[in-house]
């Protein structure tokens, strides 16, 4: 199989997915941020529906028009609860710099990691969801994806459980209505042809061993595929992880 099915807009998606990334390896900093946020929100975290919707918009921004990213970010910041306003502003500043051609390494800065981890913890606790998935990316496969989930608002925590210092991603596609091609056949098609058969639903990316990424997505009923396209060993011409088995399918109903 060749390395198809990687639209250019995914580059923005990978950047924005890091916006909801919490690095588990950062330990105490992330834990303190989450605890402080819970206190600021008043005991049990309760996130307004508007803020939850904006977080979903942020998580799914990579599946839409990149030119609309500014509006998505503004909605996220403007709707953040008071206890998370500073964290949201920290995240927004990094997004803005990225939109102006900044270095994506800014998404790994401790201040940004702590802010995004606090937001993810609070929104996962305070937003209504139909399904919560804890997914591990191993070398090479996905663990924790059931054959069927409830459609609707889905909260995803994606942990990189690599044993070979490999970054991992979880790119979600939905088969378009009426499409029942086996995944092996889809991956063998030219990009323009396969993108007529599937629609991108979201992406989460966890680069370091032990790191976590989070996203909240509205998934309509249908057939979904999770894929990792990252080349093995980091080489541009290396076989993508899905060749080694890092692909999973599930239905949302």
């Amino acid at each position: 199989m060749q390395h198809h099915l990687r639209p250019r807009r995914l580059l923005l998606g990978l950047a924005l997915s890091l916006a909801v990334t919490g690095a588990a390896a950062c330990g105490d900093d992330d834990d303190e941020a989450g605890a402080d946020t819970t206190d600021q929100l008043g005991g049990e975290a309760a996130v307004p529906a508007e803020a939850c919707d904006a977080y979903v918009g942020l998580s799914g921004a990579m599946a839409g028009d990149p030119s609309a990213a500014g509006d998505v970010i503004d909605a996220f910041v403007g709707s953040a609860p008071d206890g998370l306003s500073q964290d949201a502003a920290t995240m927004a500043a990094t997004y803005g710099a990225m939109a102006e051609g900044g270095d994506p390494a800014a998404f790994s800065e401790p201040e940004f990691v702590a802010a995004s981890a606090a937001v993810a913890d609070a929104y996962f606790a305070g937003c209504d969801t139909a399904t919560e998935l804890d997914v591990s990316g191993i070398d090479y496969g996905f663990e924790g994806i059931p054959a069927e989930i409830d459609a609707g608002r889905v909260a995803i925590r994606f942990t990189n459980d690599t044993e070979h210092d490999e970054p991992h991603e979880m790119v979600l596609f939905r088969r378009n209505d009426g499409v029942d091609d086996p995944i092996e056949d889809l991956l063998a098609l030219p990009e323009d042809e396969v993108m007529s058969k599937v629609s991108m639903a979201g992406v989460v990316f966890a680069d370091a061993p032990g790191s976590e990424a989070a996203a909240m997505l509205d998934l309509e009923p249908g057939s979904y595929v999770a894929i990792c396209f990252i080349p093995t060993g980091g080489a541009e011409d290396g076989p993508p992880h899905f060749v080694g088995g890092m692909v999973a399918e599930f239905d949302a109903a």
Side-chain angles (χ1 to χ4, degrees), residues 13-211:
L14 292 177
L16 287 180
S17 71
L18 290 172
V20 286
T21 298
C26 290
D28 293 341
D29 289 342
D30 289 1
D31 293 339
E32 290 173 4
D36 291 343
T37 300
T38 301
D39 292 342
Q40 292 167 6
L41 292 178
E44 289 189 15
V47 181
E50 178 187 10
C52 295
D53 291 342
Y55 188 65
V56 170
L58 184 69
S59 297
M62 69 290 293
D65 181 359
S67 66
D71 292 338
V72 172
I73 294 168
D74 289 344
F76 167 70
V77 174
S79 64
D82 290 342
L84 291 167
S85 57
Q86 185 56 55
D87 291 314
T90 297
M91 294 166 68
T94 304
Y95 301 149
M98 182 66 185
E100 295 176 2
D103 186 351
F107 290 117
S108 297
E109 291 295 328
E111 183 181 24
F112 179 84
V113 169
S116 57
V119 168
D121 287 345
Y123 279 53
F124 273 46
C127 295
D128 289 334
T129 57
T131 300
E132 292 188 5
L133 294 178
D134 283 303
V135 181
S136 296
I138 62 172
D139 307 328
Y140 298 95
F142 294 105
E143 295 182 340
I145 300 180
E148 184 172 312
I149 68 169
D150 291 332
R153 188 149 292 180
V154 179
I156 300 172
R157 289 191 190 276
F158 178 57
T159 303
N160 185 344
D161 285 328
T162 177
E163 295 183 355
H164 301 97
D165 199 22
E166 294 267 2
H168 286 310
E169 65 185 3
M170 179 179 171
V171 185
L172 284 180
F173 292 93
R174 179 185 181 275
R175 284 184 174 87
N176 294 338
D177 292 341
V179 175
D180 57 5
D181 305 48
I183 184 59
E184 293 82 6
D185 293 348
L186 289 175
L187 290 171
L189 294 173
E191 182 178 304
D192 58 349
E193 187 173 346
V194 73
M195 290 308 295
S196 71
K197 293 176 176 286
V198 301
S199 301
M200 195 160 76
V203 58
V204 284
F205 176 77
D207 60 343
S211 64

